[in-house]
Amino acid sequence: MKKKRLIHRVTMYVILTFLSFLFLFPLIWMLFSSLKDEFQIFRDMSSLKAFLPPRPSEVEGGYFQNYIAAFQRVDLFDYIINSLIYTIGIIVFGLIVNSMAGYALARFRFPFAGFWLGVIIATLIIPPESIFLPLYVLVYDLGWVNTYTGLIVPFIANAFAIFLFRQFFLDFPRELEEAAKMDGCSQLGIFFRIIVPLSKPVFATVAIVLFINHWNDFLWPLVVASDESIRTIQIGLQYFMNEPPIQWGQVMAALTVATIPMLIIFIFLQRYYVQGLTHTGTKN
């Protein structure tokens, strides 16, 4: 039996390692292509050299020539800062609002609670693009066009985040809350002093989901942020494709820079992310 388990475990590790490399291939190709010039990118396209860095003798101007040229061509730093403000604003306010909504749905008993939960979940099937026009009209009437407020506020509430929080809080032991009530702690105090500190996995999961979703946003920032001073990185990347000449080495360098924040967030929060997915959705 031990031998069979060992063989099974080794086989699983081999399969998972192969799949991980399979998913990493596009990132590896993008990274190494960002270090090459136009000729080298297309020369290596049909061979395994596409997944290898260029030789030092083949690089003129250093490995980071495309990165330097990309930052000189477009102010990527400002676009990255705008994207960070946009996504972090949604995450911070979204964690507060969605966690409180999920906690209310999991713990409080009020009329039509099941109905409102169904309405919230039903909004997941509505394409966001279908509400952009009325949403833009509302933002325009409020005077929020070309402001961070107009970018952030419409996406603070998130149905999927509320659902994840509710499912996680359903598994939370009620004994801790009852003990806190006996000590005279208010409901709001219970939430912020007991529930939040012990719910790091689901908070990390929601933070990663929100970050990935909104870091990659293109249409809404394009619609509501016509002022270049608050445009996000995804809009900035379009300059490399719309303004000739198209330098593919610079395009890959800009894409690599835009990918780095997502990788950093996931690397630091992946442990909590896995725990959050594991403990979410086990109760109805």
Side-chain angles (χ1 to χ4, degrees), residues 21 24 51 82 101 114 126 142 156 175 209 281:
F21 277 111
L24 286 174
F51 303 102
N82 291 335
I126 301 176
L142 292 172
I156 290 177
E175 292 78 7
V209 171

Side-chain angles (χ1 to χ4, degrees), residues 79 82-83 86-87 90 128-129 132 136 146 150-151 155 210-227 230-242 255 258 262:
Y79 291 141
N82 291 335
S83 287
Y86 171 52
T87 52
I90 291 176
E129 295 79 8
F132 274 4
Y136 176 80
N146 289 322
L151 282 170
F155 297 99
L210 293 178
F211 188 91
I212 293 175
N213 288 344
H214 294 290
W215 182 264
N216 292 322
D217 274 350
F218 175 77
L219 187 56
W220 179 249
L222 180 65
V223 170
V224 80
S226 58
D227 190 344
I230 64 168
R231 285 190 170 180
T232 59
I233 184 63
Q234 301 302 330
I235 300 176
L237 293 176
Q238 294 303 305
Y239 284 102
F240 291 94
M241 306 299 298
N242 296 334
L255 290 173
M262 288 191 293

Side-chain angles (χ1 to χ4, degrees), residues 4 7 28 53 74-75 91-92 96 109 120 140 150 153 172 186 191 211 243:
K4 288 184 178 180
I7 294 174
I28 296 172
V74 175
D75 198 350
I91 290 172
V92 171
I96 296 172
R109 295 291 177 264
I120 292 172
Y140 180 83
V153 170
F172 200 90
S186 65
F191 179 75
F211 188 91
E243 293 186 3

Side-chain angles (χ1 to χ4, degrees), residues 133-145:
L133 181 57
L135 193 60
Y136 176 80
V137 173
L138 177 61
V139 168
Y140 180 83
D141 291 340
L142 292 172
W144 290 353
V145 175

